[in-house]
Amino acid sequence: MDLQTAEHRAAELRNLLNQYGYEYYVLDKPSVPDSEYDRYMQELLELEAKFPQLNRADSPTQRVGGNILDLFEKVEHTAPMLSLGNAFNEQDLKDFDRRVRQAVGEEVTYVCELKIDGLAVSLRYEEGLFIQGATRGDGTIGEDITANLKTIKSIPLRLRENVSIEVRGEAYMPKSSFHALNKVKEERGEDLAANPRNAAAGSLRQLDPKIAASRNLDVFLYGIGAASKIEATSHSEGLNFLDRLGFKTNKERQKCGTIDEVIEYVNGWVDRRPHLPYEIDGIVIKVDSYKQQSELGTTAKSPRWAIAFKFPAEEVVTTLLGIELSVGRTGVITPTAILKPVKVAGSTVQRASLHNEDLIREKDIKLGDQVVIKKAGDIIPEVVNVLADQRTGEEVDFVMPSHCPECENELVRFEGEVALRCINPKCPAQIREGLIHFVSRTAMNIDGMGEKVISQLFAENLISDVADIYKLTGDQLLALERMGEKSVSNLLKAIEASKSNSLEKLLFGLGIRHVGAKAAKTLAQSFDTMDNLASATKEELLAINEIGEKMADAIVTFFEQEEAVELLEELSSAGVNMEYKGAKPVSAEESDSVFAGKTVVLTGKLEQLSRNEAKEKIEALGGNVSGSVSKKTHLVIAGVEAGSKLKKAQELGIEVWDEEKLLVEFNK
Ligand code: IVH
């Protein structure tokens, strides 16, 4: 066969196989027997082996790449991947409806959808070709898991139209795949996966795409991040558009004209939920009209035009085998119930929170008791109460120790607090927990340095404070259990990368009392540098809206400690960034700039400032920067050699500025 004939045949086979795959995996309506699909696949594999130049990124043979990755690259999302506010009962839904209708001042149609219990993913297509898939991460930065997502057969490698689009959805593990996986794990004597969501997340976090491929994951797409063209003015039309492009969407969605209809839909699923072939943890309710959605806008965390109804918690009975005590980062002693493993709300549970000593006493919990466990979705299971009438007399009282289980210092209870605390600042458990907190995702986000690695490093005396993390050498890490060359090199890269984090990550990581992730961001935005914050007075701190008395005191006290000053100096000389890098907070309502509440697209090459600088500036002035031009775009900034986006803006009659005009506006 000559190259030209082969090329022709390969294209034909690719089209056929993509079509059959679409019918099988997306529509769930196969039109040919499996054997026929397999035969064409074999033929294409052979052709591509013989003529490697025929290989295309959208070939169905490319689903499982041969290469094992070193690590997942970070991906910045074009627009943040938000989460949803929650509703737990009918009243919450009615309140949501009232807020929505008050804000838009007209009739509202809702779309109800199943809330799939998996993990959020973003898929990017350029000119119809799948080019990148990412996890949600912290909402702003996710991880590039393209190779793993390609193994999900319902994710099209090529769309049915040549559009550039970023779509979002939920990757999940069907119940059948979950049971099959646990069966294999059981046969191999491995730990079982707790629930399909964890199993799906674990599968997509494998560096070897062959493992992800073997897990039979699936996906439902539920939204559009950005697109070169959207032929829709509402969410429901948007979903139909996704269907037309070849994406798999969930067909149980329903439009509802009133909140009573929404409630009926929600209640209908409470009983039908167990019969679905995948897990859901609630119902998502969205305002249908895009126009109304943009009028409603979003808060920092979630859109005001959508809400998630969470199904009520499930309860089961099991035996309390023991109570374990742990020492947290702040010295608080937390008791945890150790249970006879039991299934509840789709997970196997063997530990449950007991909160504190008072709760154990109030509920009269004894070791060996039959206890009622409650679990809702991803919330940590709790002990609700004891079945005292089932006691045999063998149960024993639990006695809280008087000394720290880790350092043996005497425990204290401050007035007005329920928690028992270890107040020894040198308590190894507190130091270790502080280190674990420092590397965690919301803090410095050092991948590959989880609880196990920290505990080993700490036990071996290789780290005793957070600055020591930046002194670790490859040889020291190689000597740890289960650390090969590759994981060591990844870990060193991750440590290095964490040095350039924006200030709020470091601030949160330091574990200053009362300073959570949100407060850390506010502080970083307000003070810009660690030095400014360190020299801030209590009055200056209190002048900031969200900072109260307690937090201001804690911050001042923290920076007064000599140890803290030394630690920060060490971190700084190790090269850890001490400045805020993100945008300044200005709400669209507050900002009186021309960008306030506007969607702006940057295209072409800017000469005076980088794209990122322009983006941050526009956002700081209350604007939104989007990647593609649509009817919703208000303004396009066209640099040198602007191409198709500029043309599109002109066609749509959108206002266009050059860089000069942008700079004038910035300098106003
Ligand atoms: S809409 C802007 N629709 O639930 C909010 N989310 O906190 C976009 N989820 O992790 C979310 N099914 O991945 C939406 N039909 C659905 C969903 C859904 C599951 C997940 C989502 C996110 C969480 C929301």
mmCIF file with all atom_site columns, all heavy atoms in Angstrom, residues 82-84 113-117 119-121 136 169-170 222 281 284 286 303 305-306 308, ligand 1:
data_model
loop_
_atom_site.group_PDB
_atom_site.id
_atom_site.type_symbol
_atom_site.label_atom_id
_atom_site.label_alt_id
_atom_site.label_comp_id
_atom_site.label_asym_id
_atom_site.label_entity_id
_atom_site.label_seq_id
_atom_site.pdbx_PDB_ins_code
_atom_site.Cartn_x
_atom_site.Cartn_y
_atom_site.Cartn_z
_atom_site.occupancy
_atom_site.B_iso_or_equiv
_atom_site.pdbx_formal_charge
_atom_site.auth_seq_id
_atom_site.auth_comp_id
_atom_site.auth_asym_id
_atom_site.auth_atom_id
_atom_site.pdbx_PDB_model_num
ATOM   1   N N   . LEU A 1 82  ? -15.308 27.752 40.204 1.00 0.00 ? 82  LEU A N   1
ATOM   2   C CA  . LEU A 1 82  ? -15.954 28.063 41.488 1.00 0.00 ? 82  LEU A CA  1
ATOM   3   C C   . LEU A 1 82  ? -16.601 26.821 42.081 1.00 0.00 ? 82  LEU A C   1
ATOM   4   O O   . LEU A 1 82  ? -16.693 25.783 41.432 1.00 0.00 ? 82  LEU A O   1
ATOM   5   C CB  . LEU A 1 82  ? -17.018 29.135 41.271 1.00 0.00 ? 82  LEU A CB  1
ATOM   6   C CG  . LEU A 1 82  ? -16.509 30.454 40.694 1.00 0.00 ? 82  LEU A CG  1
ATOM   7   C CD1 . LEU A 1 82  ? -17.669 31.370 40.366 1.00 0.00 ? 82  LEU A CD1 1
ATOM   8   C CD2 . LEU A 1 82  ? -15.555 31.130 41.667 1.00 0.00 ? 82  LEU A CD2 1
ATOM   9   N N   . SER A 1 83  ? -17.040 26.932 43.329 1.00 0.00 ? 83  SER A N   1
ATOM   10  C CA  . SER A 1 83  ? -17.839 25.844 43.892 1.00 0.00 ? 83  SER A CA  1
ATOM   11  C C   . SER A 1 83  ? -19.256 26.376 44.107 1.00 0.00 ? 83  SER A C   1
ATOM   12  O O   . SER A 1 83  ? -19.570 27.489 43.686 1.00 0.00 ? 83  SER A O   1
ATOM   13  C CB  . SER A 1 83  ? -17.206 25.338 45.175 1.00 0.00 ? 83  SER A CB  1
ATOM   14  O OG  . SER A 1 83  ? -17.162 26.385 46.103 1.00 0.00 ? 83  SER A OG  1
ATOM   15  N N   . LEU A 1 84  ? -20.099 25.601 44.743 1.00 0.00 ? 84  LEU A N   1
ATOM   16  C CA  . LEU A 1 84  ? -21.502 25.992 44.881 1.00 0.00 ? 84  LEU A CA  1
ATOM   17  C C   . LEU A 1 84  ? -21.884 26.185 46.332 1.00 0.00 ? 84  LEU A C   1
ATOM   18  O O   . LEU A 1 84  ? -21.391 25.482 47.211 1.00 0.00 ? 84  LEU A O   1
ATOM   19  C CB  . LEU A 1 84  ? -22.397 24.901 44.294 1.00 0.00 ? 84  LEU A CB  1
ATOM   20  C CG  . LEU A 1 84  ? -22.319 24.683 42.792 1.00 0.00 ? 84  LEU A CG  1
ATOM   21  C CD1 . LEU A 1 84  ? -23.078 23.433 42.401 1.00 0.00 ? 84  LEU A CD1 1
ATOM   22  C CD2 . LEU A 1 84  ? -22.888 25.889 42.059 1.00 0.00 ? 84  LEU A CD2 1
ATOM   23  N N   . GLU A 1 113 ? -30.278 19.741 37.807 1.00 0.00 ? 113 GLU A N   1
ATOM   24  C CA  . GLU A 1 113 ? -29.395 18.669 37.315 1.00 0.00 ? 113 GLU A CA  1
ATOM   25  C C   . GLU A 1 113 ? -28.961 17.797 38.468 1.00 0.00 ? 113 GLU A C   1
ATOM   26  O O   . GLU A 1 113 ? -28.919 18.266 39.608 1.00 0.00 ? 113 GLU A O   1
ATOM   27  C CB  . GLU A 1 113 ? -28.109 19.283 36.739 1.00 0.00 ? 113 GLU A CB  1
ATOM   28  C CG  . GLU A 1 113 ? -28.296 20.003 35.464 1.00 0.00 ? 113 GLU A CG  1
ATOM   29  C CD  . GLU A 1 113 ? -27.058 20.828 35.117 1.00 0.00 ? 113 GLU A CD  1
ATOM   30  O OE1 . GLU A 1 113 ? -25.968 20.572 35.661 1.00 0.00 ? 113 GLU A OE1 1
ATOM   31  O OE2 . GLU A 1 113 ? -27.212 21.724 34.295 1.00 0.00 ? 113 GLU A OE2 1
ATOM   32  N N   . LEU A 1 114 ? -28.571 16.575 38.161 1.00 0.00 ? 114 LEU A N   1
ATOM   33  C CA  . LEU A 1 114 ? -28.017 15.715 39.200 1.00 0.00 ? 114 LEU A CA  1
ATOM   34  C C   . LEU A 1 114 ? -26.635 16.235 39.568 1.00 0.00 ? 114 LEU A C   1
ATOM   35  O O   . LEU A 1 114 ? -25.891 16.696 38.704 1.00 0.00 ? 114 LEU A O   1
ATOM   36  C CB  . LEU A 1 114 ? -27.900 14.277 38.686 1.00 0.00 ? 114 LEU A CB  1
ATOM   37  C CG  . LEU A 1 114 ? -29.198 13.660 38.181 1.00 0.00 ? 114 LEU A CG  1
ATOM   38  C CD1 . LEU A 1 114 ? -28.975 12.197 37.805 1.00 0.00 ? 114 LEU A CD1 1
ATOM   39  C CD2 . LEU A 1 114 ? -30.295 13.776 39.232 1.00 0.00 ? 114 LEU A CD2 1
ATOM   40  N N   . LYS A 1 115 ? -26.321 16.169 40.843 1.00 0.00 ? 115 LYS A N   1
ATOM   41  C CA  . LYS A 1 115 ? -24.980 16.571 41.277 1.00 0.00 ? 115 LYS A CA  1
ATOM   42  C C   . LYS A 1 115 ? -24.136 15.301 41.348 1.00 0.00 ? 115 LYS A C   1
ATOM   43  O O   . LYS A 1 115 ? -24.254 14.500 42.273 1.00 0.00 ? 115 LYS A O   1
ATOM   44  C CB  . LYS A 1 115 ? -25.039 17.276 42.629 1.00 0.00 ? 115 LYS A CB  1
ATOM   45  C CG  . LYS A 1 115 ? -23.694 17.809 43.063 1.00 0.00 ? 115 LYS A CG  1
ATOM   46  C CD  . LYS A 1 115 ? -23.861 18.767 44.228 1.00 0.00 ? 115 LYS A CD  1
ATOM   47  C CE  . LYS A 1 115 ? -22.544 19.419 44.581 1.00 0.00 ? 115 LYS A CE  1
ATOM   48  N NZ  . LYS A 1 115 ? -21.546 18.475 45.090 1.00 0.00 ? 115 LYS A NZ  1
ATOM   49  N N   . ILE A 1 116 ? -23.314 15.110 40.345 1.00 0.00 ? 116 ILE A N   1
ATOM   50  C CA  . ILE A 1 116 ? -22.538 13.885 40.200 1.00 0.00 ? 116 ILE A CA  1
ATOM   51  C C   . ILE A 1 116 ? -21.409 13.885 41.229 1.00 0.00 ? 116 ILE A C   1
ATOM   52  O O   . ILE A 1 116 ? -20.716 14.885 41.386 1.00 0.00 ? 116 ILE A O   1
ATOM   53  C CB  . ILE A 1 116 ? -21.919 13.807 38.781 1.00 0.00 ? 116 ILE A CB  1
ATOM   54  C CG1 . ILE A 1 116 ? -22.970 14.136 37.699 1.00 0.00 ? 116 ILE A CG1 1
ATOM   55  C CG2 . ILE A 1 116 ? -21.271 12.454 38.522 1.00 0.00 ? 116 ILE A CG2 1
ATOM   56  C CD1 . ILE A 1 116 ? -24.133 13.206 37.628 1.00 0.00 ? 116 ILE A CD1 1
ATOM   57  N N   . ASP A 1 117 ? -21.220 12.759 41.904 1.00 0.00 ? 117 ASP A N   1
ATOM   58  C CA  . ASP A 1 117 ? -20.215 12.705 42.962 1.00 0.00 ? 117 ASP A CA  1
ATOM   59  C C   . ASP A 1 117 ? -18.885 12.191 42.407 1.00 0.00 ? 117 ASP A C   1
ATOM   60  O O   . ASP A 1 117 ? -18.560 11.005 42.496 1.00 0.00 ? 117 ASP A O   1
ATOM   61  C CB  . ASP A 1 117 ? -20.713 11.806 44.096 1.00 0.00 ? 117 ASP A CB  1
ATOM   62  C CG  . ASP A 1 117 ? -19.961 12.081 45.385 1.00 0.00 ? 117 ASP A CG  1
ATOM   63  O OD1 . ASP A 1 117 ? -19.160 13.037 45.415 1.00 0.00 ? 117 ASP A OD1 1
ATOM   64  O OD2 . ASP A 1 117 ? -20.172 11.345 46.357 1.00 0.00 ? 117 ASP A OD2 1
ATOM   65  N N   . LEU A 1 119 ? -15.116 14.219 40.439 1.00 0.00 ? 119 LEU A N   1
ATOM   66  C CA  . LEU A 1 119 ? -14.268 15.397 40.614 1.00 0.00 ? 119 LEU A CA  1
ATOM   67  C C   . LEU A 1 119 ? -14.360 16.296 39.395 1.00 0.00 ? 119 LEU A C   1
ATOM   68  O O   . LEU A 1 119 ? -14.513 15.816 38.264 1.00 0.00 ? 119 LEU A O   1
ATOM   69  C CB  . LEU A 1 119 ? -12.822 15.027 40.935 1.00 0.00 ? 119 LEU A CB  1
ATOM   70  C CG  . LEU A 1 119 ? -12.009 14.348 39.878 1.00 0.00 ? 119 LEU A CG  1
ATOM   71  C CD1 . LEU A 1 119 ? -10.550 14.650 40.087 1.00 0.00 ? 119 LEU A CD1 1
ATOM   72  C CD2 . LEU A 1 119 ? -12.252 12.853 39.969 1.00 0.00 ? 119 LEU A CD2 1
ATOM   73  N N   . ALA A 1 120 ? -14.299 17.604 39.666 1.00 0.00 ? 120 ALA A N   1
ATOM   74  C CA  . ALA A 1 120 ? -14.484 18.585 38.602 1.00 0.00 ? 120 ALA A CA  1
ATOM   75  C C   . ALA A 1 120 ? -13.285 18.579 37.668 1.00 0.00 ? 120 ALA A C   1
ATOM   76  O O   . ALA A 1 120 ? -12.143 18.511 38.114 1.00 0.00 ? 120 ALA A O   1
ATOM   77  C CB  . ALA A 1 120 ? -14.658 19.968 39.214 1.00 0.00 ? 120 ALA A CB  1
ATOM   78  N N   . VAL A 1 121 ? -13.570 18.635 36.366 1.00 0.00 ? 121 VAL A N   1
ATOM   79  C CA  . VAL A 1 121 ? -12.482 18.717 35.390 1.00 0.00 ? 121 VAL A CA  1
ATOM   80  C C   . VAL A 1 121 ? -12.800 19.801 34.366 1.00 0.00 ? 121 VAL A C   1
ATOM   81  O O   . VAL A 1 121 ? -13.964 20.152 34.160 1.00 0.00 ? 121 VAL A O   1
ATOM   82  C CB  . VAL A 1 121 ? -12.243 17.379 34.639 1.00 0.00 ? 121 VAL A CB  1
ATOM   83  C CG1 . VAL A 1 121 ? -11.704 16.325 35.574 1.00 0.00 ? 121 VAL A CG1 1
ATOM   84  C CG2 . VAL A 1 121 ? -13.500 16.894 33.936 1.00 0.00 ? 121 VAL A CG2 1
ATOM   85  N N   . ARG A 1 136 ? -9.579  20.660 39.053 1.00 0.00 ? 136 ARG A N   1
ATOM   86  C CA  . ARG A 1 136 ? -9.970  21.966 39.586 1.00 0.00 ? 136 ARG A CA  1
ATOM   87  C C   . ARG A 1 136 ? -8.853  22.571 40.433 1.00 0.00 ? 136 ARG A C   1
ATOM   88  O O   . ARG A 1 136 ? -8.651  23.770 40.427 1.00 0.00 ? 136 ARG A O   1
ATOM   89  C CB  . ARG A 1 136 ? -11.230 21.778 40.440 1.00 0.00 ? 136 ARG A CB  1
ATOM   90  C CG  . ARG A 1 136 ? -11.666 23.036 41.129 1.00 0.00 ? 136 ARG A CG  1
ATOM   91  C CD  . ARG A 1 136 ? -12.989 22.829 41.845 1.00 0.00 ? 136 ARG A CD  1
ATOM   92  N NE  . ARG A 1 136 ? -13.443 24.057 42.432 1.00 0.00 ? 136 ARG A NE  1
ATOM   93  C CZ  . ARG A 1 136 ? -13.052 24.538 43.606 1.00 0.00 ? 136 ARG A CZ  1
ATOM   94  N NH1 . ARG A 1 136 ? -12.186 23.851 44.317 1.00 0.00 ? 136 ARG A NH1 1
ATOM   95  N NH2 . ARG A 1 136 ? -13.506 25.664 44.073 1.00 0.00 ? 136 ARG A NH2 1
ATOM   96  N N   . GLY A 1 169 ? -16.945 19.829 33.682 1.00 0.00 ? 169 GLY A N   1
ATOM   97  C CA  . GLY A 1 169 ? -17.850 18.749 34.030 1.00 0.00 ? 169 GLY A CA  1
ATOM   98  C C   . GLY A 1 169 ? -17.288 17.925 35.157 1.00 0.00 ? 169 GLY A C   1
ATOM   99  O O   . GLY A 1 169 ? -16.327 18.323 35.828 1.00 0.00 ? 169 GLY A O   1
ATOM   100 N N   . GLU A 1 170 ? -17.902 16.775 35.365 1.00 0.00 ? 170 GLU A N   1
ATOM   101 C CA  . GLU A 1 170 ? -17.532 15.925 36.480 1.00 0.00 ? 170 GLU A CA  1
ATOM   102 C C   . GLU A 1 170 ? -17.048 14.584 35.938 1.00 0.00 ? 170 GLU A C   1
ATOM   103 O O   . GLU A 1 170 ? -17.784 13.912 35.220 1.00 0.00 ? 170 GLU A O   1
ATOM   104 C CB  . GLU A 1 170 ? -18.768 15.737 37.379 1.00 0.00 ? 170 GLU A CB  1
ATOM   105 C CG  . GLU A 1 170 ? -18.469 15.223 38.743 1.00 0.00 ? 170 GLU A CG  1
ATOM   106 C CD  . GLU A 1 170 ? -18.067 16.329 39.739 1.00 0.00 ? 170 GLU A CD  1
ATOM   107 O OE1 . GLU A 1 170 ? -17.838 17.482 39.319 1.00 0.00 ? 170 GLU A OE1 1
ATOM   108 O OE2 . GLU A 1 170 ? -17.969 16.009 40.926 1.00 0.00 ? 170 GLU A OE2 1
ATOM   109 N N   . TYR A 1 222 ? -21.121 19.724 32.244 1.00 0.00 ? 222 TYR A N   1
ATOM   110 C CA  . TYR A 1 222 ? -22.273 20.511 32.709 1.00 0.00 ? 222 TYR A CA  1
ATOM   111 C C   . TYR A 1 222 ? -22.130 22.013 32.506 1.00 0.00 ? 222 TYR A C   1
ATOM   112 O O   . TYR A 1 222 ? -22.968 22.777 32.966 1.00 0.00 ? 222 TYR A O   1
ATOM   113 C CB  . TYR A 1 222 ? -22.577 20.216 34.170 1.00 0.00 ? 222 TYR A CB  1
ATOM   114 C CG  . TYR A 1 222 ? -21.406 20.431 35.114 1.00 0.00 ? 222 TYR A CG  1
ATOM   115 C CD1 . TYR A 1 222 ? -20.842 21.679 35.277 1.00 0.00 ? 222 TYR A CD1 1
ATOM   116 C CD2 . TYR A 1 222 ? -20.871 19.361 35.835 1.00 0.00 ? 222 TYR A CD2 1
ATOM   117 C CE1 . TYR A 1 222 ? -19.774 21.875 36.119 1.00 0.00 ? 222 TYR A CE1 1
ATOM   118 C CE2 . TYR A 1 222 ? -19.801 19.548 36.694 1.00 0.00 ? 222 TYR A CE2 1
ATOM   119 C CZ  . TYR A 1 222 ? -19.259 20.805 36.831 1.00 0.00 ? 222 TYR A CZ  1
ATOM   120 O OH  . TYR A 1 222 ? -18.196 21.007 37.664 1.00 0.00 ? 222 TYR A OH  1
ATOM   121 N N   . ASP A 1 281 ? -24.607 13.178 44.913 1.00 0.00 ? 281 ASP A N   1
ATOM   122 C CA  . ASP A 1 281 ? -24.700 13.608 46.308 1.00 0.00 ? 281 ASP A CA  1
ATOM   123 C C   . ASP A 1 281 ? -25.657 14.772 46.475 1.00 0.00 ? 281 ASP A C   1
ATOM   124 O O   . ASP A 1 281 ? -25.716 15.383 47.526 1.00 0.00 ? 281 ASP A O   1
ATOM   125 C CB  . ASP A 1 281 ? -23.316 13.931 46.889 1.00 0.00 ? 281 ASP A CB  1
ATOM   126 C CG  . ASP A 1 281 ? -22.580 15.016 46.114 1.00 0.00 ? 281 ASP A CG  1
ATOM   127 O OD1 . ASP A 1 281 ? -22.949 15.268 44.953 1.00 0.00 ? 281 ASP A OD1 1
ATOM   128 O OD2 . ASP A 1 281 ? -21.642 15.599 46.662 1.00 0.00 ? 281 ASP A OD2 1
ATOM   129 N N   . VAL A 1 284 ? -28.190 20.025 41.569 1.00 0.00 ? 284 VAL A N   1
ATOM   130 C CA  . VAL A 1 284 ? -27.741 21.399 41.347 1.00 0.00 ? 284 VAL A CA  1
ATOM   131 C C   . VAL A 1 284 ? -28.867 22.164 40.663 1.00 0.00 ? 284 VAL A C   1
ATOM   132 O O   . VAL A 1 284 ? -29.442 21.682 39.690 1.00 0.00 ? 284 VAL A O   1
ATOM   133 C CB  . VAL A 1 284 ? -26.467 21.453 40.477 1.00 0.00 ? 284 VAL A CB  1
ATOM   134 C CG1 . VAL A 1 284 ? -25.980 22.894 40.347 1.00 0.00 ? 284 VAL A CG1 1
ATOM   135 C CG2 . VAL A 1 284 ? -25.375 20.582 41.070 1.00 0.00 ? 284 VAL A CG2 1
ATOM   136 N N   . LYS A 1 286 ? -29.827 25.678 38.747 1.00 0.00 ? 286 LYS A N   1
ATOM   137 C CA  . LYS A 1 286 ? -29.160 26.814 38.090 1.00 0.00 ? 286 LYS A CA  1
ATOM   138 C C   . LYS A 1 286 ? -30.189 27.716 37.421 1.00 0.00 ? 286 LYS A C   1
ATOM   139 O O   . LYS A 1 286 ? -31.159 27.219 36.838 1.00 0.00 ? 286 LYS A O   1
ATOM   140 C CB  . LYS A 1 286 ? -28.200 26.304 37.005 1.00 0.00 ? 286 LYS A CB  1
ATOM   141 C CG  . LYS A 1 286 ? -27.148 25.360 37.522 1.00 0.00 ? 286 LYS A CG  1
ATOM   142 C CD  . LYS A 1 286 ? -26.290 24.785 36.407 1.00 0.00 ? 286 LYS A CD  1
ATOM   143 C CE  . LYS A 1 286 ? -25.291 23.801 37.001 1.00 0.00 ? 286 LYS A CE  1
ATOM   144 N NZ  . LYS A 1 286 ? -24.499 23.104 35.989 1.00 0.00 ? 286 LYS A NZ  1
ATOM   145 N N   . PRO A 1 303 ? -21.173 31.051 42.373 1.00 0.00 ? 303 PRO A N   1
ATOM   146 C CA  . PRO A 1 303 ? -22.104 31.906 41.636 1.00 0.00 ? 303 PRO A CA  1
ATOM   147 C C   . PRO A 1 303 ? -23.377 32.150 42.457 1.00 0.00 ? 303 PRO A C   1
ATOM   148 O O   . PRO A 1 303 ? -23.801 31.261 43.202 1.00 0.00 ? 303 PRO A O   1
ATOM   149 C CB  . PRO A 1 303 ? -22.411 31.091 40.385 1.00 0.00 ? 303 PRO A CB  1
ATOM   150 C CG  . PRO A 1 303 ? -22.081 29.693 40.708 1.00 0.00 ? 303 PRO A CG  1
ATOM   151 C CD  . PRO A 1 303 ? -21.043 29.714 41.773 1.00 0.00 ? 303 PRO A CD  1
ATOM   152 N N   . TRP A 1 305 ? -26.127 32.480 41.000 1.00 0.00 ? 305 TRP A N   1
ATOM   153 C CA  . TRP A 1 305 ? -27.218 31.971 40.168 1.00 0.00 ? 305 TRP A CA  1
ATOM   154 C C   . TRP A 1 305 ? -27.397 30.447 40.269 1.00 0.00 ? 305 TRP A C   1
ATOM   155 O O   . TRP A 1 305 ? -28.156 29.854 39.502 1.00 0.00 ? 305 TRP A O   1
ATOM   156 C CB  . TRP A 1 305 ? -27.019 32.389 38.707 1.00 0.00 ? 305 TRP A CB  1
ATOM   157 C CG  . TRP A 1 305 ? -25.609 32.190 38.187 1.00 0.00 ? 305 TRP A CG  1
ATOM   158 C CD1 . TRP A 1 305 ? -24.635 33.134 38.109 1.00 0.00 ? 305 TRP A CD1 1
ATOM   159 C CD2 . TRP A 1 305 ? -25.018 30.977 37.698 1.00 0.00 ? 305 TRP A CD2 1
ATOM   160 N NE1 . TRP A 1 305 ? -23.477 32.596 37.605 1.00 0.00 ? 305 TRP A NE1 1
ATOM   161 C CE2 . TRP A 1 305 ? -23.684 31.277 37.339 1.00 0.00 ? 305 TRP A CE2 1
ATOM   162 C CE3 . TRP A 1 305 ? -25.489 29.669 37.519 1.00 0.00 ? 305 TRP A CE3 1
ATOM   163 C CZ2 . TRP A 1 305 ? -22.819 30.319 36.823 1.00 0.00 ? 305 TRP A CZ2 1
ATOM   164 C CZ3 . TRP A 1 305 ? -24.620 28.715 37.006 1.00 0.00 ? 305 TRP A CZ3 1
ATOM   165 C CH2 . TRP A 1 305 ? -23.309 29.044 36.663 1.00 0.00 ? 305 TRP A CH2 1
ATOM   166 N N   . ALA A 1 306 ? -26.676 29.829 41.181 1.00 0.00 ? 306 ALA A N   1
ATOM   167 C CA  . ALA A 1 306 ? -26.810 28.373 41.318 1.00 0.00 ? 306 ALA A CA  1
ATOM   168 C C   . ALA A 1 306 ? -26.678 27.976 42.774 1.00 0.00 ? 306 ALA A C   1
ATOM   169 O O   . ALA A 1 306 ? -26.102 28.709 43.588 1.00 0.00 ? 306 ALA A O   1
ATOM   170 C CB  . ALA A 1 306 ? -25.748 27.662 40.493 1.00 0.00 ? 306 ALA A CB  1
ATOM   171 N N   . ALA A 1 308 ? -26.476 24.139 45.361 1.00 0.00 ? 308 ALA A N   1
ATOM   172 C CA  . ALA A 1 308 ? -26.488 22.671 45.402 1.00 0.00 ? 308 ALA A CA  1
ATOM   173 C C   . ALA A 1 308 ? -27.361 22.214 46.559 1.00 0.00 ? 308 ALA A C   1
ATOM   174 O O   . ALA A 1 308 ? -27.127 22.618 47.701 1.00 0.00 ? 308 ALA A O   1
ATOM   175 C CB  . ALA A 1 308 ? -25.069 22.151 45.591 1.00 0.00 ? 308 ALA A CB  1
HETATM 176 S S1  . IVH B 2 .   ? -22.110 23.458 38.390 1.00 0.00 ? 1   IVH B S1  1
HETATM 177 C C1  . IVH B 2 .   ? -19.900 27.453 39.134 1.00 0.00 ? 1   IVH B C1  1
HETATM 178 N N1  . IVH B 2 .   ? -23.286 21.157 37.945 1.00 0.00 ? 1   IVH B N1  1
HETATM 179 O O1  . IVH B 2 .   ? -20.163 19.978 42.393 1.00 0.00 ? 1   IVH B O1  1
HETATM 180 C C2  . IVH B 2 .   ? -20.238 26.147 39.695 1.00 0.00 ? 1   IVH B C2  1
HETATM 181 N N2  . IVH B 2 .   ? -21.451 21.205 39.448 1.00 0.00 ? 1   IVH B N2  1
HETATM 182 O O2  . IVH B 2 .   ? -19.331 22.726 44.326 1.00 0.00 ? 1   IVH B O2  1
HETATM 183 C C3  . IVH B 2 .   ? -20.096 25.085 38.718 1.00 0.00 ? 1   IVH B C3  1
HETATM 184 N N3  . IVH B 2 .   ? -20.836 19.027 40.358 1.00 0.00 ? 1   IVH B N3  1
HETATM 185 O O3  . IVH B 2 .   ? -16.972 20.189 42.307 1.00 0.00 ? 1   IVH B O3  1
HETATM 186 C C4  . IVH B 2 .   ? -20.613 23.817 39.199 1.00 0.00 ? 1   IVH B C4  1
HETATM 187 N N4  . IVH B 2 .   ? -22.382 17.855 39.312 1.00 0.00 ? 1   IVH B N4  1
HETATM 188 O O4  . IVH B 2 .   ? -17.748 19.646 39.931 1.00 0.00 ? 1   IVH B O4  1
HETATM 189 C C5  . IVH B 2 .   ? -22.322 21.801 38.611 1.00 0.00 ? 1   IVH B C5  1
HETATM 190 N N5  . IVH B 2 .   ? -24.393 19.192 37.437 1.00 0.00 ? 1   IVH B N5  1
HETATM 191 C C6  . IVH B 2 .   ? -23.422 19.830 38.090 1.00 0.00 ? 1   IVH B C6  1
HETATM 192 C C7  . IVH B 2 .   ? -22.534 19.157 38.953 1.00 0.00 ? 1   IVH B C7  1
HETATM 193 C C8  . IVH B 2 .   ? -21.561 19.891 39.626 1.00 0.00 ? 1   IVH B C8  1
HETATM 194 C C9  . IVH B 2 .   ? -21.353 17.808 40.148 1.00 0.00 ? 1   IVH B C9  1
HETATM 195 C C10 . IVH B 2 .   ? -19.704 19.339 41.252 1.00 0.00 ? 1   IVH B C10 1
HETATM 196 C C11 . IVH B 2 .   ? -18.704 20.304 40.690 1.00 0.00 ? 1   IVH B C11 1
HETATM 197 C C12 . IVH B 2 .   ? -18.080 20.919 41.906 1.00 0.00 ? 1   IVH B C12 1
HETATM 198 C C13 . IVH B 2 .   ? -19.159 20.803 42.923 1.00 0.00 ? 1   IVH B C13 1
HETATM 199 C C14 . IVH B 2 .   ? -19.786 22.157 43.182 1.00 0.00 ? 1   IVH B C14 1
#
